[in-house]
Amino acid sequence: MFSSGTFPRIVRQTPVVTDVKQLTVSTVQVAPRYYDTVVFDDSTDKKHDGWFIGGFVINKSSKRRPTRDAAMDDHREALHAARTEEPFPPRGGHDELCAYVSGMTSRCTCSNGGAA
């Protein structure tokens, strides 16, 4: 689709698959001095779409950097979060007892499910 000298160009993509999540951390060079790192939900039902992990909103946000080295730092940080953290949902839909809503934790403790 793209020749080797054109953009966008994939710099690194790393899948993270566990029993509760299927994510890909992707870093792409969009243009000269423009790299984006994104966390994607690869599950068929996109159950973590819009949830948070490691400073990213899954499928929704990216971190832009001007150099490959800085972008790779973001990639490693996002990859560490994807491997070690569980995604947590936005505030909507939580009950009053949820420790996430009260600001006590970054993890949902809803009685109606939430993040594991």
Side-chain angles (χ1 to χ4, degrees):
M1 181 173 187
F2 294 102
S3 70
S4 62
T6 63
F7 299 104
R9 183 175 24 232
I10 296 170
V11 177
R12 183 161 298 149
Q13 287 186 327
T14 312
V16 176
V17 179
T18 71
D19 57 336
V20 295
K21 61 190 170 193
Q22 289 179 279
L23 305 174
T24 294
V25 177
S26 179
T27 299
V28 175
Q29 184 178 13
V30 178
R33 297 176 304 282
Y34 182 168
Y35 295 82
D36 265 344
T37 300
V38 181
V39 178
F40 293 105
D41 180 355
D42 292 332
S43 64
T44 55
D45 62 359
K46 303 296 183 213
K47 66 182 176 183
H48 293 121
D49 182 60
W51 289 33
F52 298 94
I53 195 162
F56 288 88
V57 180
I58 297 170
N59 291 342
K60 307 281 187 215
S61 70
S62 65
K63 289 188 180 178
R64 180 179 176 177
R65 296 294 183 208
T67 67
R68 180 182 170 95
D69 287 343
M72 289 296 89
D73 286 344
D74 284 344
H75 188 94
R76 283 186 290 277
E77 289 173 16
L79 186 57
H80 176 75
R83 287 178 174 159
T84 62
E85 298 177 15
E86 295 304 324
F88 60 95
R91 292 184 188 269
H94 298 272
D95 64 31
E96 310 79 55
L97 301 177
C98 181
Y100 169 66
V101 170
S102 69
M104 295 173 61
T105 181
S106 62
R107 296 180 52 126
C108 174
T109 58
C110 277
S111 58
N112 58 0

